[in-house]
Amino acid sequence: MKWNKYTIKTITDAEDIISSTLMDLGIEGVEIEDKIPLSEADKKQMFVDILPDMGPDDNVAYISFYIDSEVDAKETLQNVKHELNELRSYMEVGECTIMESQTEDKDWINNWKQYFKQFSVDDILIKPSWEEVKPEDHDKLMIQIDPGTAFGTGMHETTQLCIRQLKKYITSTTKVFDVGCGSGILSIVSIKLGATYARGIDIDPNAINASIENAKVNQIPEDKFHVEAGNLLEDINLQQEVGCEAYDIVVANILADVLIPLTPVIKKNLKPNGYYITSGIIDKKEEDVVAAVKDNGFEIVEITHQGEWVSVTAKKL
Ligand SMILES: C[S@@+](CC[C@H](N)C(=O)[O-])C[C@H]1O[C@@H](n2cnc3c(N)ncnc32)[C@H](O)[C@@H]1O
């Protein structure tokens, strides 16, 4: 299916009202480009730690929407122009010119799937649920993942760093707490490696559905894996509910800026001598995380690297 792309040039202050006006006109999904830096909350959710320099905010914003090229867009465009003129009568909306272009043939929701191919982390095969296992991989430990819109195909360096550390410390009696579970990949790998139980939490509600579905596809028994939505950093009830000194391993693949304040919380959840496996740390922030971990009474066991990413594994003393 080909799509016509319509891009409105406006100003940042008018982004919200124009977006909701477009939605009121039945346009589903808009794309906004501007130079406003991401908020701290956006950065955590999107797993972006260090932002490219975009230059100063020039107050210009572009709002794009898409219409199936086979559908007559004349009436919709007339309505859009009419509503933009209405807005202009009582607020500043900038130029509000509309540029038109045609996009490639794309399935916006599923397009990323062409880049997710099966791959191995040592002797663990991680494959999209829609691919077949190649004959040469039949003796590997197989994990099937469909992350949907949650984070966690396993292809990211930080996920692989965590998997390699989990392999070193999981035994048949290990209970794992997977903080920021995303697709559930680290919990599923833990149970497949022999852990007796895994508990996942994530602030992203999409992650919960993805984790439940992925656990089913990987035949994880229901009593071995529980997952729920929540913010471990801010929800004190959740911190207590997940259990004090309840886990042999806490794995947290989250940004350094979240890991640092999360470390004293996680210390309470870990059993004495338990392992704290972290990643999501960009190399420039390695020292900050190491310092926070040591300050909270952990002993650093190992620091591993892949590309520009770092994993710090520590033991609760
Ligand atoms: C990089 S992803 C990791 C996903 C998966 N564990 C993996 O290794 O591929 C980080 C996840 O942490 C979640 N997250 C960020 N801050 C959190 C918090 N305070 N409490 C719980 N989850 C959080 C995000 O929503 C995101 O799904």
Side-chain angles (χ1 to χ4, degrees):
M1 189 191 281
K2 284 198 188 299
W3 298 83
N4 287 331
K5 179 178 181 181
Y6 300 94
T7 304
I8 303 168
K9 186 175 182 186
T10 180
I11 57 169
T12 52
D13 285 346
E15 281 171 5
D16 289 346
I17 185 115
I18 293 181
S19 305
S20 72
T21 302
L22 293 175
M23 282 182 205
D24 289 346
L25 291 173
I27 291 166
E28 286 173 19
V30 297
E31 205 175 86
I32 299 177
E33 291 164 70
D34 61 28
K35 288 188 179 156
I36 299 179
L38 291 179
S39 69
E40 284 307 308
D42 288 340
K43 282 203 277 176
K44 283 166 196 164
Q45 180 92 34
M46 293 166 70
F47 203 52
V48 182
D49 209 342
I50 294 170
L51 295 167
D53 186 8
M54 298 182 297
D57 177 17
D58 53 8
N59 199 31
V60 175
Y62 295 94
I63 302 181
S64 300
F65 59 93
Y66 298 85
I67 298 179
D68 180 348
S69 63
E70 292 187 2
V71 171
D72 186 0
K74 218 160 129 191
E75 190 183 333
T76 308
L77 284 176
Q78 269 172 1
N79 291 339
V80 170
K81 284 176 189 161
H82 174 76
E83 291 299 326
L84 290 174
N85 278 332
E86 288 282 305
L87 289 175
R88 189 188 296 286
S89 64
Y90 64 88
M91 67 178 284
E92 178 65 49
V93 286
E95 278 182 29
C96 272
T97 44
I98 304 182
M99 290 169 280
E100 185 181 337
S101 54
Q102 201 172 50
T103 68
E104 287 166 40
D105 196 3
K106 274 186 183 163
D107 173 353
W108 299 104
I109 297 290
N110 292 308
N111 194 38
W112 61 274
K113 288 187 176 176
Q114 65 184 290
Y115 303 106
F116 181 21
K117 302 279 179 210
Q118 53 191 284
F119 67 99
S120 297
V121 180
D122 306 329
D123 53 355
I124 301 175
L125 173 73
I126 298 173
K127 74 168 203 63
S129 50
W130 56 89
E131 275 194 359
E132 295 295 320
V133 182
K134 294 179 192 148
E136 64 268 29
D137 289 329
H138 273 295
D139 55 347
K140 291 185 175 166
L141 178 66
M142 187 185 65
I143 312 287
Q144 300 202 71
I145 290 291
D146 182 349
T149 55
F151 186 103
T153 58
M155 293 175 87
H156 200 274
E157 289 91 333
T158 58
T159 313
Q160 298 185 16
L161 284 163
C162 289
I163 291 173
R164 291 201 170 91
Q165 292 310 99
L166 286 167
K167 269 183 74 182
K168 292 178 191 168
Y169 299 106
I170 283 178
T171 70
S172 59
T173 57
T174 302
K175 287 187 175 178
V176 175
F177 184 23
D178 179 5
V179 184
C181 60
S183 64
I185 186 168
L186 297 177
S187 293
I188 293 166
V189 166
S190 297
I191 293 168
K192 289 278 185 185
L193 287 170
T196 183
Y197 176 75
R199 178 162 189 156
I201 62 158
D202 203 295
I203 46 174
D204 175 6
N206 294 319
I208 311 311
N209 297 334
S211 294
I212 292 170
E213 284 309 310
N214 284 319
K216 274 191 208 150
V217 170
N218 287 283
Q219 281 109 34
I220 301 294
E222 277 183 21
D223 59 340
K224 285 199 164 222
F225 177 49
H226 290 119
V227 60
E228 67 192 304
N231 184 335
L232 192 68
L233 199 52
E234 288 168 12
D235 187 340
I236 294 166
N237 290 334
L238 182 65
Q239 292 172 8
Q240 287 165 355
E241 191 237 307
V242 292
C244 189
E245 300 202 343
Y247 302 93
D248 304 279
I249 295 179
V250 177
V251 61
N253 178 16
I254 317 187
L255 295 176
D257 290 350
V258 183
L259 288 172
I260 292 169
L262 210 51
T263 298
V265 176
I266 282 172
K267 190 181 174 195
K268 291 187 192 140
N269 303 130
L270 260 179
K271 291 180 187 173
N273 297 318
Y275 289 99
Y276 179 29
I277 298 174
T278 69
S279 192
I281 308 159
I282 197 85
D283 48 13
K284 293 183 183 67
K285 301 222 172 176
E286 174 178 332
E287 281 177 23
D288 300 346
V289 176
V290 168
V293 169
K294 283 184 180 165
D295 288 349
N296 280 285
F298 286 88
E299 175 191 54
I300 302 291
V301 176
E302 198 178 356
I303 300 177
T304 52
H305 300 87
Q306 193 171 333
E308 58 187 348
W309 296 95
V310 183
S311 167
V312 175
T313 300
K315 192 172 182 178
K316 177 173 163 179
L317 296 175

